[in-house]
Amino acid sequence: MSSCRFSSNRSLRTSVRCFPNISPSLHPNEIIHSQHCTPDVPLNHHRHLKKGLRWPIKVNYSQPKIHGLQGTRNFYLPTAPKVHVGVWHVLPRDLVDTFSENTETSLANGNPIVLYLHGNSGSRATGHRVELYKLLQFHNYHVIAFDYRGKFTFTCTCYGCIDVSLGFADSSQVLMSENVATIDAIRVYEYIRLFSGKSTVIVWGHSLGSAVAIKMVASLCAVKQSPDRLILESPFNNIRDVFRNHPLTLIYRPLSVVDRFFTERLETNNVAFDSDVHIAGVECPTLILHARDDRIVPIFLTRKLYEAGFKSRPTNAAALQFIEFPPDLHCGHECIYSAPQLPSIIQQLVDLDGF
């Protein structure tokens, strides 16, 4: 069985940095409805060859059926001037037979809506994420999943001088940071709220996406636009501790290389992801899920996040609950979706049964 921690959040409020003036800013006519077309990103040729690539490669996002998803629409949503993100809307099982290109109105039908924020690798089409969408679809949830804008640039000198821009999925190839990832998430949330009516909206963040989710929800709570629920899957306290405790940095720890070359530069580059700070501003019912056999994010970092939330969230905040999954379930970092008790755990959160 999984183990559960529960808090009533009897503690003082602490400050949280928020995005000002957050309000619904999208009009339905601004949404790019496209089932077959991916916006083009031009390749520029100057004195040095510049090459634009997308990761993962050779993935067709415009046809979710290829990935085993029925009743799913692909479209592109503007989140900033000249910036768009690729989005999938996965319909609940009971609505799959009514699928059409205009699925927004179905968001108000009363089925809970999950806004899914994925981690730092792959895309919305990555296997374990698709399996979670299928599970949620089977249990009659809407799922809205998207890929953040973003790219990394580097120079390859193997065959002359080639400047390589590596963009993720089919969203805009512009430089990514903690703030812009959070803005993208807020814009998708605003889109959902345009059509959701009284349906329950759940923000679900996995791994790095949990850090985006926490900062996003804290910002929304500050302006009284909170989602109804928050799920944090395999989260961590801050990205510095993740670097320090990642398996790949083990041999460098005695040399202080990790701190000097990585962790000390994170805040300067706007990728600190201080979830243990931002969670103070989260006021909606929050569920933390973590597997004890997670080798990417050690569970003690999640326990630190939980303790930070327990101590810093305001006295009027809703409950914060922490559920750990035992090693014999083999959930690891990515497969909590396979835990047999997960559907009932989520339903209890929706119903606020035990919260």
Side-chain angles (χ1 to χ4, degrees):
M1 293 181 63
S2 56
S3 63
C4 173
R5 299 184 181 191
F6 176 82
S7 80
S8 58
N9 300 295
R10 299 179 299 273
S11 55
L12 297 176
R13 174 186 290 272
T14 60
S15 62
V16 60
R17 290 176 291 174
C18 299
F19 291 95
N21 302 322
I22 299 173
S23 61
S25 58
L26 293 174
H27 187 276
N29 292 337
E30 293 181 295
I31 301 162
I32 305 173
H33 300 276
S34 174
Q35 184 70 13
H36 307 291
C37 173
T38 302
D40 294 328
V41 178
L43 301 180
N44 299 317
H45 297 274
H46 299 291
R47 184 165 57 182
H48 298 295
L49 176 63
K50 293 189 175 182
K51 182 66 175 176
L53 303 173
R54 294 202 176 259
W55 185 260
I57 61 174
K58 297 182 179 179
V59 176
N60 187 334
Y61 298 98
S62 65
Q63 299 183 46
K65 278 187 177 182
I66 295 174
H67 306 279
L69 291 170
Q70 304 298 318
T72 301
R73 181 172 68 101
N74 180 72
F75 63 101
Y76 299 92
L77 192 68
T79 60
K82 298 182 180 180
V83 174
H84 68 267
V85 295
V87 188
W88 280 350
H89 178 184
V90 184
L91 287 173
R93 178 184 56 170
D94 289 351
L95 299 181
V96 168
D97 291 340
T98 65
F99 174 76
S100 69
E101 289 301 301
N102 295 316
T103 58
E104 288 99 344
T105 56
S106 69
L107 290 171
N109 74 340
N111 292 70
I113 305 164
V114 172
L115 168 57
Y116 181 75
L117 311 180
H118 69 65
N120 70 313
S121 63
S123 70
R124 66 186 184 278
T126 299
H128 68 92
R129 293 164 190 154
V130 172
E131 291 305 313
L132 176 62
Y133 311 156
K134 290 178 180 177
L135 176 72
L136 293 171
Q137 181 183 58
F138 179 82
H139 289 280
N140 273 317
Y141 293 80
H142 292 271
V143 181
I144 304 290
F146 74 99
D147 284 296
Y148 318 99
R149 73 179 96 175
K151 71 175 180 180
F152 295 91
T153 59
F154 59 94
T155 299
C156 177
T157 58
C158 299
Y159 302 97
C161 188
I162 303 175
D163 293 332
V164 178
S165 172
L166 182 61
F168 289 91
D170 53 351
S171 297
S172 293
Q173 289 194 36
V174 293
L175 291 177
M176 181 184 178
S177 69
E178 178 179 352
N179 282 347
V180 299
T182 307
I183 290 171
D184 285 347
I186 289 172
R187 296 295 173 252
V188 179
Y189 174 80
E190 290 176 345
Y191 159 76
I192 292 171
R193 283 300 195 189
L194 281 176
F195 302 100
S196 61
K198 296 182 179 180
S199 298
T200 298
V201 178
I202 305 165
V203 173
W204 184 318
H206 172 248
S207 193
L208 189 69
S210 71
V212 177
I214 290 171
K215 189 167 184 177
M216 163 199 175
V217 172
S219 302
L220 292 168
C221 288
V223 292
K224 309 303 180 184
Q225 295 183 28
S226 171
D228 299 297
R229 313 284 189 272
L230 173 62
I231 296 177
L232 304 172
E233 179 188 357
S234 309
F236 51 83
N237 56 332
N238 59 70
I239 201 70
R240 293 179 297 279
D241 282 353
V242 173
F243 268 102
R244 292 180 183 124
N245 293 278
H246 195 281
L248 294 179
T249 66
L250 177 62
I251 61 175
Y252 300 106
R253 290 174 201 167
L255 304 176
S256 300
V257 171
V258 176
D259 281 333
R260 284 190 288 123
F261 288 96
F262 292 99
T263 60
E264 292 176 0
R265 303 183 183 187
L266 292 171
E267 188 167 355
T268 303
N269 290 283
N270 191 222
V271 285
F273 292 105
D274 290 319
S275 294
D276 47 0
V277 175
H278 301 308
I279 198 169
V282 173
E283 300 176 1
C284 63
T286 301
L287 175 64
I288 298 176
L289 308 173
H290 206 109
R292 293 177 189 155
D293 60 337
D294 188 334
R295 296 184 179 181
I296 303 300
V297 177
I299 196 167
F300 75 87
L301 298 183
T302 305
R303 291 170 181 157
K304 284 186 175 183
L305 175 65
Y306 170 78
E307 294 299 332
F310 177 69
K311 293 175 182 178
S312 65
R313 280 161 50 109
T315 54
N316 62 341
L320 172 67
Q321 186 169 326
F322 180 19
I323 296 178
E324 300 180 5
F325 294 84
D328 61 347
L329 292 177
H330 305 290
C331 292
H333 186 63
E334 299 177 341
C335 297
I336 286 178
Y337 71 84
S338 66
Q341 62 268 54
L342 182 63
S344 61
I345 290 172
I346 301 171
Q347 190 60 51
Q348 287 174 3
L349 174 66
V350 172
D351 296 339
L352 293 182
D353 181 11
F355 275 77

